[in-house]
Amino acid sequence: MKIRKITIGLAVTLVFWATALVAADKSTEVALARGKYLVENIGMCGDCHTPHNEKGEPIKEQWLQGTALAFKPAVPMPVWAEKSVNIAGLPGWKTDAAIKFFMTGIAYNGLPARPPMPQYRYSQKDAEAIVLYLKSLAPRNK
Ligand code: HEC
């Protein structure tokens, strides 16, 4: 009797944890897909952060790895950045600082990035998804 009770107890616990793990996995998967969508289709990060070939197509092998920009301001701007940085893997960024940056446009040094980097104001949930996705990309080009 006792053994049977213990067995049932164990089985219930196992099912509970298995369900919890699958649910956690599923929500990570959903957030990753959301982050990829926000980066590729809403933020259009690749327009500035991915090098393009001579036909103007993004180079897949250097996805989001930073590049010299192909455009300049029509009037001189003192703080214009001519190059974007590598954001594949978000090297050098702690998760919290990166989330704050995508919610406020203010980087870990207390300053906004130079133009033309937009000052994004994503919601916390979207900023978390973007950071999760960018961190999932292998940091190459280091
Ligand atoms: C219009 C061009 C443009 C777009 C679009 C763009 N960036 Fe940038 N980004 C830049 C440039 C240029 C810099 C370098 C700024 C500097 O050196 O201060 C930069 C810098 C950054 C930095 C480093 C900021 C810092 O202060 O160190 C991060 C992180 C970043 N971008 C992420 C993103 C993400 C994620 C997206 C899309 C959601 C994105 N960028 C879209 C041009 C762009």
Side-chain angles (χ1 to χ4, degrees):
M1 263 320 253
K2 219 177 185 177
I3 289 187
R4 207 163 132 203
K5 259 195 194 149
I6 292 172
T7 317
I8 292 171
L10 267 177
V12 169
T13 312
L14 273 177
V15 168
F16 172 81
W17 279 112
T19 316
L21 281 176
V22 168
D25 229 43
K26 188 92 197 133
S27 71
T28 305
E29 217 175 275
V30 169
L32 265 178
R34 173 92 185 146
K36 183 171 163 40
Y37 163 74
L38 290 169
V39 164
E40 292 183 1
N41 301 83
I42 306 295
M44 310 300 290
C45 318
D47 281 5
C48 295
H49 284 271
T50 301
H52 289 64
N53 65 22
E54 58 288 347
K55 289 190 213 140
E57 301 156 344
I59 304 170
K60 288 253 154 56
E61 296 71 35
Q62 294 176 46
W63 192 242
L64 298 178
Q65 291 178 18
T67 181
L69 298 179
F71 54 92
K72 282 196 162 82
V75 290
M77 285 184 67
V79 291
W80 183 264
E82 293 185 344
K83 280 192 266 172
S84 65
V85 296
N86 176 22
I87 55 169
L90 279 180
W93 283 84
K94 294 221 168 75
T95 299
D96 286 355
I99 292 170
K100 190 182 149 219
F101 178 59
F102 294 124
M103 290 175 67
T104 60
I106 304 298
Y108 52 78
N109 58 5
L111 296 169
R114 289 176 294 167
M117 172 63 193
Q119 261 189 289
Y120 290 105
R121 304 289 199 297
Y122 284 106
S123 70
Q124 171 135 13
K125 213 170 162 215
D126 284 349
E128 284 170 5
I130 288 172
V131 172
L132 188 73
Y133 168 64
L134 291 176
K135 289 241 174 218
S136 78
L137 303 175
R140 284 158 276 172
N141 224 21
K142 271 177 122 183

